[in-house]
Amino acid sequence: MTTLPATPAATRTDRRLPALGGFAPAVQGIELRRMLRNRRTLAFTLIMPGVFFLIFGLPQGGQALDNGRPVTAYVMISLAVYAAMVATTSAGGAVATERALGWSRQLRLTPLRPTAYVATKLITAMTLGLLAVVVEFLVGAAAGVRIPVYVWLLSGLAAWLGSLVFAAFGLFIGYLVPAENVMQFIGPVLAVLAMFGGLFVPVEVLPDVLQHVATFTPVYGVGELSRAPLTGDGVSMAALANIAFWALVFGIGAVRLFRRDTARV
Amino acid sequence: MTSTHPAVELNGLTKTFGPVTAVDGLSLRVQPGEVVAFLGPNGAGKTTTIDMLLGLARPDAGTVRILGGTPDDAVARGRVAAVLQTGGLLKDLTVGETVRMTAHFYRHTRPAVEVLERAGITDIADRVVGRCSGGQQQRLRFALALLPDPDLMVLDEPTTGMDVEGRRDFWQALRRDARAGRTVIFATHYLDEADAYADRIVLVRQGRVVADGTTAEIKNLAAGRTVRATLPGADQAALAALPGVDAVEVRGDSVLVRTGDSDAVARHLLARTAARDVEITSRNLEDAFLALTTEHTGA
């Protein structure tokens, strides 16, 4: 047998491993475009929260909180938290669709490492979450909400970073159920959680028992933290513990299921 | 550099699923540049073998080497690429976006426009994947596999579910692309595909290799060839004594010899007898396939 000459491809093609396990910032652009092309995501994260503000927040114009700040700002920040959590859950939950379609299996035939894939999903989720907060705030500002700059910044930052908990939640669900339309049943779940988290009405107006229950639900802590700069109330240890607890539960859950998913059989 | 290692080296590969042994001590060595058909009926263990070959499944026993390294390393370096039955596509991306996105996962790839062209889908680059036909989606998978310009291309029943035209287009794309040095392994249960596109056929049944050789050798294995000649008063005993002869039949002035070595029979007839109108016919691959993959199955 004669040995074959080196193929042209062997000399042409760079066979080194990709940097960062195949993680590429350019993919983020395509991912974000995908999310924005999805009418459902667009409606629930960027349009609906803004419309809610105009319907439920605006009529309360002129009313003030105990510290004199406008009630409209309270509603706007709450809805920004809601918008961000729906955005990050959707983006994380997209993993379910991609697993159902078999795309994750296709990806295993590329150099892309699973951790790079999850990092891409997380960044896409957080980008969409930031966009959701910014849009809600723009609607609020355009409709006349006036609050100090530091409140805009701190509340916005808390709403955005808090939504990381829900990016983890989305990934957790995404690795739990391989379903193409996972958001159809997570959407209502998020709405109920938002209710308990005081995003649609203040928790204080709920019956006593529900108020107590509410403090243990996953949106409560993020809601409290995001509104604290506005209300001037201190952030309770309960709220911080709530955030830490759910971040851990969803984070560890997502990591465990992710490991199970990428293990070979 | 790469030519010193076999493209694929499978040793005693075994995989069981509960009570079912899908792959049963399968060994195979493929040299660089070979185009090998992995042929067998459904359930023969082809897909399981390919999954292990690509590192998608872990063998219960046995080893896999691709181009001298592990499957994972070959995948990560873009040295092996595959078109699988199960690999899904994102319906909401366009064909072009899918190719560009996948290209970002590699260190270096062929240009997107080039692979689209080679896979014959340039004209549908802007079409959303969800609106592409099965054949178009399969050619998109092929385009994705071409991106890293792999040394080894693995295809698992790439034309399943395609109509005749789709199958022809797909194989045309594969042939257009074929270049010296690229090793191709494809699983199929279409005999004509194995016959038309492979240099070598590996027949598998119940997780084992039951035959391995060139297309001609495989055809010979099961049925050999039939040599027919006009030879009045043929000496049946002399013909039957030739090496490789299975049966001799005389029909009037004609003689029919079934043999595994048709050359020897023809040479004998022409050189030592008054035979004329010598005709050699080959059994087709289907006969070989049926004989090798169905015998003993009742036992």
Side-chain angles (χ1 to χ4, degrees):
Chain A
M1 291 293 289
T2 52
T3 19
L4 288 157
T7 62
T11 53
R12 272 201 315 258
T13 314
D14 184 348
R15 292 299 186 202
R16 281 176 301 157
L17 297 173
L20 301 172
F23 175 85
V27 174
Q28 236 74 54
I30 298 177
E31 284 284 356
L32 199 64
R33 223 169 36 232
R34 281 182 68 205
M35 296 301 299
L36 296 179
R37 258 197 320 233
N38 184 326
R39 266 183 244 125
R40 194 183 167 83
T41 309
L42 210 59
F44 280 91
T45 63
L46 300 182
I47 297 169
M48 211 178 74
V51 173
F52 274 8
F53 175 78
L54 299 178
I55 297 172
F56 304 110
L58 220 47
Q60 303 185 57
Q63 297 186 50
L65 300 166
D66 291 346
N67 65 354
R69 298 239 169 90
V71 167
T72 49
Y74 186 99
V75 176
M76 176 191 76
I77 293 168
S78 296
L79 287 172
V81 173
Y82 175 70
M85 69 183 265
V86 175
T88 54
T89 308
S90 309
V95 169
T97 314
E98 302 190 358
R99 287 173 68 227
L101 291 172
W103 177 247
S104 14
R105 196 173 154 86
Q106 176 76 29
L107 289 178
R108 290 174 68 179
L109 298 172
T110 73
L112 183 70
R113 297 291 91 214
T115 38
Y117 170 75
V118 168
T120 302
K121 288 291 170 215
L122 263 181
I123 293 173
T124 305
M126 293 313 285
T127 309
L128 195 66
L130 182 63
L131 199 61
V133 172
V134 168
V135 168
E136 184 68 20
F137 277 13
L138 283 177
V139 171
V145 174
R146 293 295 174 262
I147 42 176
V149 173
Y150 81 90
V151 176
W152 285 111
L153 287 178
L154 289 182
S155 290
L157 207 60
W160 178 52
L161 292 179
S163 68
L164 192 57
V165 175
F166 295 95
F169 174 63
L171 288 171
F172 174 67
I173 297 294
Y175 281 109
L176 192 66
V177 281
E180 255 192 78
N181 295 310
V182 70
M183 280 312 286
Q184 276 173 13
F185 77 89
I186 295 187
V189 172
L190 289 181
V192 172
L193 291 179
M195 182 78 188
F196 277 113
L199 299 187
F200 297 150
V201 290
V203 175
E204 292 75 33
V205 307
L206 297 176
D208 281 350
V209 181
L210 289 186
Q211 275 191 46
H212 188 66
V213 171
T215 56
F216 296 103
T217 59
V219 184
Y220 177 81
V222 180
E224 290 288 291
L225 184 69
S226 303
R227 287 182 302 246
L230 176 77
T231 59
D233 301 340
V235 182
S236 68
M237 280 309 290
L240 289 178
N242 175 292
I243 297 174
F245 174 77
W246 288 109
L248 276 176
V249 168
F250 295 143
I252 291 171
V255 167
R256 286 187 72 105
L257 291 176
F258 163 76
R259 290 218 177 117
R260 189 187 70 181
D261 189 67
T262 50
R264 255 166 281 173
V265 287
Chain B
M1 173 183 77
T2 61
S3 53
T4 53
H5 294 289
V8 170
E9 210 175 354
L10 308 178
N11 271 315
L13 221 50
T14 300
K15 182 77 178 173
T16 55
F17 296 104
V20 181
T21 302
V23 178
D24 189 6
L26 189 144
S27 296
L28 181 68
R29 185 186 277 251
V30 177
Q31 295 303 328
E34 282 191 288
V35 177
V36 179
F38 213 49
L39 182 65
N42 288 324
K46 303 188 296 287
T47 297
T48 309
T49 303
I50 284 176
D51 281 355
M52 289 189 282
L53 168 68
L54 295 168
L56 294 174
R58 200 199 306 267
D60 294 332
T63 56
V64 179
R65 302 292 283 173
I66 290 184
L67 304 152
T70 63
D72 285 354
D73 191 60
V75 167
R77 292 178 193 280
R79 302 192 67 189
V80 59
V83 177
L84 298 186
Q85 290 174 286
T86 48
L89 296 166
L90 297 174
K91 292 184 203 167
D92 57 326
L93 286 183
T94 66
V95 168
E97 281 172 334
T98 307
V99 172
R100 284 194 297 277
M101 188 180 196
T102 304
H104 285 300
F105 303 147
Y106 292 91
R107 163 81 64 166
H108 177 81
T109 63
R110 306 300 306 157
V113 283
E114 182 189 311
V115 300
L116 287 169
E117 178 66 39
R118 287 214 232 166
I121 47 174
T122 305
D123 53 324
I124 56 162
D126 292 327
R127 188 173 299 176
V128 173
V129 172
R131 282 206 291 274
C132 291
S133 71
Q136 288 168 334
Q137 291 190 12
Q138 199 64 341
R139 272 182 281 156
L140 170 55
R141 288 192 188 90
F142 180 56
L144 298 180
L146 286 175
L147 273 172
D149 202 1
D151 299 320
L152 170 64
M153 173 79 84
V154 179
L155 308 111
D156 188 10
E157 307 209 359
T159 59
T160 297
M162 286 189 198
D163 55 22
V164 177
E165 199 181 341
R167 285 174 65 187
R168 199 194 54 214
D169 288 352
F170 184 85
W171 285 110
Q172 273 176 0
L174 191 73
R175 286 194 109 156
R176 255 202 315 277
D177 170 71
R179 60 161 172 76
R182 177 173 287 160
T183 315
V184 178
I185 297 180
F186 65 94
T188 182
H189 56 250
Y190 292 118
L191 301 157
D192 54 336
E193 287 185 349
D195 198 4
Y197 301 104
D199 309 326
R200 175 180 165 194
I201 294 176
V202 175
L203 262 173
V204 286
R205 188 191 60 197
Q206 295 176 344
R208 292 165 186 266
V209 173
V210 290
D212 183 350
T214 62
T215 311
E217 280 167 358
I218 293 292
K219 285 179 187 171
N220 249 349
L221 248 168
R225 294 199 177 94
T226 302
V227 182
R228 187 190 170 284
T230 305
L231 178 60
D235 179 352
Q236 281 196 52
L239 286 169
L242 290 171
V245 171
D246 297 322
V248 180
E249 194 185 332
V250 174
R251 290 180 195 162
D253 283 350
S254 292
V255 60
L256 285 94
V257 183
R258 271 189 56 183
T259 174
D261 188 354
S262 54
D263 295 342
V265 175
R267 201 173 291 121
H268 172 84
L269 287 171
L270 293 169
R272 297 176 190 278
T273 72
R276 52 199 166 78
D277 305 334
V278 175
E279 214 176 85
I280 302 175
T281 52
S282 175
R283 295 303 175 106
N284 65 23
L285 195 53
E286 188 142 6
D287 298 327
F289 180 68
L290 284 175
L292 285 164
T293 59
T294 56
E295 69 183 335
H296 313 310
T297 45

